[in-house]
Structure formats: C-alpha cells, structure tokens
Amino acid sequence: MNNTNFRSIKPICDETRPKVFIETYGCQMNVNDSEVVLSILQDAGYALCDSIGKADLILVNTCSIRDNAEQRVLGRLDVFRLEKKKRKVLVGVIGCMAERLKEKLLENGVVDIVAGPDAYRDLPRLVSAAKLESKQINTLLSHEETYADISPVRMDSNGVSAFISIMRGCNNVCSYCIVPYVRGAERSRDPKSILREAECLIANGYKEINLLGQNVDSYCWVNPDKESEHVDFARLLEMVALLDRSVRVRFATSHPKDMTDAVLYTMAMYDNICKHIHLPVQSGSNVMLEKMNRKYTRETYLQRIAKIREILPDCAITTDVIAGFSGETEDDHRQTISLFNEVGFDSAFMFQYSERPGTKASRHYPDDIPTQLKTERLNEIIELQNELSLDRNKQYLGRICEVLVEGRSKRSADDLIGRTSSNKTCVFPANGHKPGDYVNVKILSCSSATLIAEIVED
Ligand code: SAH
Ligand code: SF4
Ligand code: F3S
C-alpha cells in the first residue's frame, strides 16, 4: 500500500514550535480523543512535548465516571498551579469533566481553557483567545460531530495496536452513569472514514485495530443521500476485517441488550477478528438491573453468554460490575457472586458505586450502602474473579496459541509481551522476534493475569 496517500500519524518533532503537553484519564475513547486533539493542535502549529516543564500549553483530558477519577484530576491542577507560579503557561481542562463542571472549573484560578468532548475543533481559537484575553470556555455538545475527517496523531503508541472511535455519545440511560450527560447523544461515524483511517494505520505498519464505542452494537450509519442504505456493526466489523486478513480487529464495548447473533457469526467467520467480547453485566440481580435501567435480566444475559459459547467456543468473555448500588441487599450481592461463578469470566473491571450528580440514580435512589460494606462486597468479587481468571488461564496450559508481539516485557529486556486472540497477555523469550510479529507460543505456566510461554518455531 502506498504511504503517501495518507497524512502522517506520528507526532511532529519541531523545536521551533510552541509545545503542548497532554495528559489523559479515563477510557480508551478518551485516549483516542487526545490523539484527535493533538492532530488539531499540530495543524494549528503546536508540537507535542513529554513534560509539563517544557510546555507552553498543558491539557488534561478528563473522566467523570467515578468521583475518584475527578479527584485525581483536581490533584493534578494543584501541580499545574505550581508550574504557573514559575512561568507563563496556559492550562486547559478538556473532556468529560470539562463538560460536567463547565465554568466551575474556571473558579480556582489555575484553568484558562475549558473544552468539552465536542468542542475540540475550537481549541486553536480558544487557546489564541486565552493568550490575549481572559479565560475561554466551549462546552457545546453536538448531534453530528464525529471528527470523521481528522487523522488522529498516534502518541504513546507501540506502533502495533491502535484505536478507532466508530461512534460517539450514548443513547442509553443507565441510571448510575454520567456518560450520556457528558458525551451527548449517540452518533455513528461514516464507515468510509473508518475504513480510510484503518487503511492508514495498516499502511503505517499497525497490526491490530480496536474499534471503540460506548455501545458498539448500536452502531448504525444511515446514508444521508439514500436513507434505505445503512451499515450496522456486524457489517462494519466485516468490512474492517476484510481490509487485510493479517491485521487483527478488536472491539469494545458490547451491550447485552443489543449484541446480535450476526456479530457472533461474523466473528466466527474471520480468523482476524479476535475472540474476545467485553460484555458488562453490572449486577447479577434482576432488582438491581431494573433499577440500573440496563434493559436486560440475569436470564437474558446468561442466554447471551450461552450463545457466545455455542458460536465461539474459544471466545474469552470479560465484564464490568458495580458493587453497592443503591439499595443493594446481601441477597442481590450473592446473585452477583453466583452469576460470576456461573459464567466464569476471563477477567473483569470491578468498581464500587460512586454517585454521580445529575444522574437518574442521584435524583431518585439514595446512595445508601455504607462505604465499608461497598468495599467488602467489592473485595469479595475481586477475590472470586482472581480465582476465576486463574482457572480460565489454566485451561491454556500446554496449548499452542498465536500471539501478536506488542513490545518488550517491563521485567526483562530479553522477553517479549503480546496477546492471544482471546486477549490473554503472554510473556516469552524473544528468540529474535520483534513487535508486530505474529509468533506461535506454547503456554508453560500462568498466573491470574499472565500466561508464561515459549516460542515454537515451525
Ligand atoms: N458503555 C459501557 C461502559 C461505560 S463506563 C457499558 O455500557 O457498559 C465503564 C464502566 O464504569 C461501566 O461498565 C460501569 O461498570 C462503571 N461505572 C459507570 N458508572 C459508574 C458509577 N457511577 N459508579 C461506579 N462505576 C460506574
Ligand atoms: Fe453509561 Fe449505560 Fe451508556 Fe454504558 S450504556 S455509557 S453504562 S449509559
Ligand atoms: Fe470517563 Fe468520559 Fe470515558 S466519563 S469513562 S472518559 S466517556
């Protein structure tokens, strides 16, 4: 493929340019948004730098999902305040917290610019205006913005695996969740622009593409010129998989109420679509699921799991769970524990409930589980999941798996690190291989988090 058709996706190195430092919190979509922001700022004459000490502009791309995510950022603002005392530097808060707190962020005297997730094209203007005048803010949400025409500049990249956001926002109203308020309504990106971005990554040597959305199963692009023509997620997945059969495709997040069999059959059809589904359950109790407004039951969730196991027997399944949601009884909690045992997840992201201002839960359901009990329940789930992860990993012992090499192991420069199709992290001696190579490895031992392996040369 001809590289010259595509814009550079690497950060520009140019000592003469003003410098921007970008720090990112939150989900993979936020990481990808920072890459969009860097692209916009590079076009406006900035270059990336790697420390706040060198920066003319410090941006912090923020997350509001739980209170502790916001507290971390507020702590960072104190560090930026010290830097501002030393010299002239602009500080911008962007992303979900900017959207949630708006003008309030300007009150502490540190922040010069506030920009919400749909206002990134306006950043060059906001920055110029903040240099000349007073503080600047744009937190308008949009029904159309998908940044489809912007080539994200890949920073902190291993050069092997990259994200593509296929949609923005969320139309669900899970009662505990702040995302719909800070990210706005769901919109799907034009598949042509997604394929163009994927082709650009492939031309730059990337071997794995991660398609991102809050609920990928509701991806639906309708051709504005011909409304009868539409592309759903199963079709998009297939189109991306067909670009290059030696390039892996992953996706997240799937929603139990929307995941279709068509997606599962598409996954089964293409070797390069990785056999891993992240299917957040949130709770094993129907009472909690109803109150969370998740729109599925324990039974229908388990039916989805059964279907995955039937169509994709080797597929890893991971989940998210919340401990201590409003009114959660000991019985509700036991139902979560029993669901975890029944499914045997490969791994899980586990959280205690954090009430978010403005959500339906904050208005109608008291945050009435004492912190200590939330922590106890969370710890019980974590302990169980550690055992389940170890059990799942043990099933790999002695097996031969194809692994995509992603980099050097942090513990030993002689070892490489990579992942199986099922998203298991493997560590193995390099044997002359390098990031971006596919290797077959034999699994020798494991912990709950990692498979230890050796390369089998054929
Ligand atoms: N769109 C995805 C997940 C988005 S947020 C989905 O529908 O599942 C990632 C995870 O954070 C959620 O799955 C949930 O487990 C957790 N989460 C969201 N809001 C939370 C809150 N108020 N308190 C604790 N955890 C929360
Ligand atoms: Fe939040 Fe629910 Fe949307 Fe996920 S699907 S982002 S949990 S509202
Ligand atoms: Fe956080 Fe916003 Fe993502 S709230 S989880 S950064 S969409």
Side-chain angles (χ1 to χ4, degrees):
M1 212 171 290
N2 180 0
N3 278 10
T4 54
N5 288 337
F6 301 108
R7 292 181 36 158
S8 168
I9 57 170
K10 293 202 180 103
I12 290 174
C13 289
D14 180 348
E15 284 309 314
T16 64
R17 286 177 167 226
K19 299 284 176 295
V20 57
F21 175 78
I22 309 181
E23 193 166 289
T24 308
Y25 295 85
C27 60
Q28 295 173 332
M29 265 165 282
N30 238 23
V31 174
N32 190 224
D33 274 8
S34 289
E35 298 175 329
V36 166
V37 165
L38 179 58
S39 178
I40 291 168
L41 288 173
Q42 277 194 178
D43 283 353
Y46 275 82
L48 186 67
C49 68
D50 59 5
S51 74
I52 58 174
K54 295 179 199 156
D56 302 288
L57 170 64
I58 299 171
L59 290 181
V60 53
N61 192 1
T62 57
C63 173
S64 287
I65 201 81
R66 283 167 290 276
D67 185 57
N68 57 10
E70 293 199 347
Q71 293 307 325
R72 277 171 70 197
V73 169
L74 295 177
R76 290 299 287 160
L77 292 184
D78 289 336
V79 175
F80 302 156
R81 186 193 301 276
L82 294 179
E83 192 65 23
K84 271 189 111 152
K85 279 198 182 132
K86 285 190 240 160
R87 62 198 185 86
K88 203 170 153 40
V89 53
L90 288 176
V91 173
V93 175
I94 64 174
C96 297
M97 216 172 141
E99 193 62 48
R100 193 178 86 73
L101 293 171
K102 300 189 167 63
E103 282 84 4
K104 280 196 205 121
L105 282 166
L106 297 172
E107 284 163 13
N108 68 8
V110 183
V111 180
D112 304 290
I113 298 150
V114 172
D118 288 344
Y120 298 149
R121 286 180 202 268
D122 198 22
L123 270 172
R125 186 191 69 80
L126 294 170
V127 175
S128 307
K131 267 188 217 154
L132 299 174
E133 310 155 29
S134 56
K135 300 173 184 307
Q136 298 292 319
I137 178 162
N138 184 345
T139 52
L140 286 177
L141 285 175
S142 152
H143 282 277
E144 286 90 35
E145 182 61 271
T146 58
Y147 300 111
D149 56 318
I150 292 175
S151 289
V153 174
R154 308 291 168 173
M155 53 176 133
D156 297 330
S157 165
N158 58 12
V160 176
S161 180
F163 301 128
I164 300 184
S165 295
I166 61 166
M167 58 210 293
R168 296 182 73 81
C170 181
N171 276 357
N172 295 311
V173 201
C174 302
S175 61
Y176 52 81
C177 184
I178 195 74
V179 170
Y181 303 89
V182 291
R183 289 260 162 181
E186 181 185 284
R187 57 230 107 112
S188 296
R189 197 174 144 184
D190 185 334
K192 283 197 284 303
S193 79
I194 297 169
L195 293 173
R196 211 183 311 124
E197 195 172 320
E199 281 175 339
C200 173
L201 288 167
I202 296 168
N204 278 277
Y206 281 79
K207 291 283 159 52
E208 185 177 270
I209 288 164
N210 295 269
L211 304 177
L212 301 179
Q214 291 296 352
N215 176 359
V216 290
D217 301 298
S218 69
Y219 175 88
C220 181
W221 181 80
V222 181
N223 186 345
D225 302 323
K226 193 173 161 206
E227 294 217 344
S228 58
E229 188 188 318
H230 77 281
V231 175
D232 65 6
F233 182 59
R235 179 71 192 119
L236 178 74
L237 192 56
E238 178 168 51
M239 292 194 296
V240 178
L242 280 169
L243 285 177
D244 184 334
R245 301 294 289 272
S246 74
V247 170
R248 283 182 169 184
V249 186
R250 296 185 183 275
F251 58 88
T253 302
S254 304
H255 198 301
K257 78 177 165 61
D258 295 318
M259 194 185 63
T260 61
D261 290 353
V263 169
L264 303 180
Y265 286 117
T266 305
M267 288 175 77
M269 218 145 68
Y270 297 97
D271 281 348
N272 58 326
I273 304 181
C274 290
K275 304 300 179 273
H276 168 219
I277 296 178
H278 185 61
L279 198 66
V281 68
Q282 314 299 3
S283 170
S285 149
N286 280 338
V287 180
M288 289 295 106
L289 289 172
E290 167 85 35
K291 210 166 164 183
M292 288 173 165
N293 200 27
R294 287 290 287 179
K295 301 219 157 50
Y296 54 85
T297 61
R298 176 191 177 95
E299 292 71 29
T300 52
Y301 183 86
L302 290 172
Q303 279 164 14
R304 290 282 75 207
I305 298 288
K307 202 72 190 173
I308 298 170
R309 301 257 200 255
E310 176 196 321
I311 299 173
L312 301 161
D314 259 345
C315 188
I317 303 174
T318 58
T319 201
D320 293 347
V321 68
I322 300 176
F325 185 55
S326 172
E328 188 187 66
T329 62
E330 185 56 30
D331 180 60
D332 293 321
H333 171 60
R334 297 260 68 86
Q335 303 240 13
T336 296
I337 294 287
S338 82
L339 181 127
F340 267 58
N341 272 313
E342 203 166 328
V343 177
F345 293 110
D346 289 85
S347 72
F349 294 113
M350 298 160 278
F351 310 104
Q352 30 182 304
Y353 175 53
S354 164
E355 186 180 81
R356 308 311 295 131
T359 55
K360 187 173 170 219
S362 77
R363 283 179 277 122
H364 299 290
Y365 310 134
D367 182 11
D368 54 2
I369 307 301
T371 307
Q372 199 194 333
L373 189 54
K374 283 183 187 172
T375 310
E376 275 170 30
R377 288 180 181 167
L378 176 63
N379 286 342
E380 189 183 349
I381 301 172
I382 292 173
E383 233 169 82
L384 170 61
Q385 184 53 50
N386 284 341
E387 287 168 26
L388 295 172
S389 299
L390 183 61
D391 283 351
R392 297 288 301 172
N393 284 354
K394 277 184 182 162
Q395 294 176 14
Y396 283 76
L397 295 178
R399 274 169 61 177
I400 298 198
C401 301
E402 187 183 61
V403 166
L404 172 60
V405 180
E406 289 178 28
R408 302 253 150 214
S409 156
K410 283 197 190 94
R411 294 216 185 127
S412 148
D414 297 334
D415 288 345
L416 292 174
I417 195 153
R419 276 177 296 159
T420 63
S421 166
S422 60
N423 208 30
K424 304 278 177 192
T425 300
C426 288
V427 179
F428 45 91
N431 280 13
H433 288 279
K434 58 179 193 317
D437 289 351
Y438 285 100
V439 292
N440 285 325
V441 302
K442 183 170 181 192
I443 313 302
L444 304 173
S445 64
C446 69
S447 68
S448 60
T450 317
L451 304 178
I452 309 295
E454 69 183 8
I455 292 177
V456 283
E457 306 282 0
D458 38 28

